[in-house]
Amino acid sequence: MKLSIISPVYEVDSYIECFLESLLWQLTTDVELILVNDGTNDNSIKLAEKLIKKSSPEIQKNITILHQKNQG
């Protein structure tokens, strides 16, 4: 990987789709995306997973969702 993009995900279901749609079309196989679920209670992660499934298999390999309890 040449570039890693790390983004926290917490209570952002109102704009996670816009964020990911603008990012996913720009990803290449040299870029990894790490989404950190910070214990969100909304649908942010479900929406993210739905959009990720629509991306190409090559890009999907470079996307990771980490889950943790809310860290404040």
Side-chain angles (χ1 to χ4, degrees), residues 34-52:
I34 301 170
L35 299 175
V36 181
N37 174 5
D38 194 27
T40 190
N41 294 313
D42 63 5
N43 289 320
S44 300
I45 295 300
K46 289 180 185 177
L47 293 169
E49 290 170 339
K50 177 182 156 188
L51 283 172
I52 291 167

Side-chain angles (χ1 to χ4, degrees), residues 8 10-12 15-16 19 27-29 34-35 38 40 42 52 56 58 62-63 65 68-69:
Y10 183 78
E11 307 292 328
V12 292
Y15 55 91
I16 189 82
F19 166 72
L27 291 182
T28 66
T29 55
I34 301 170
L35 299 175
D38 194 27
T40 190
D42 63 5
I52 291 167
S56 71
E58 295 83 22
N62 295 341
I63 301 173
I65 299 176
Q68 66 181 26
K69 291 181 182 180

Side-chain angles (χ1 to χ4, degrees), residues 14-28:
S14 60
Y15 55 91
I16 189 82
E17 289 181 279
C18 182
F19 166 72
L20 286 175
E21 285 174 351
S22 67
L23 187 61
L24 288 175
W25 74 270
Q26 299 179 67
L27 291 182
T28 66

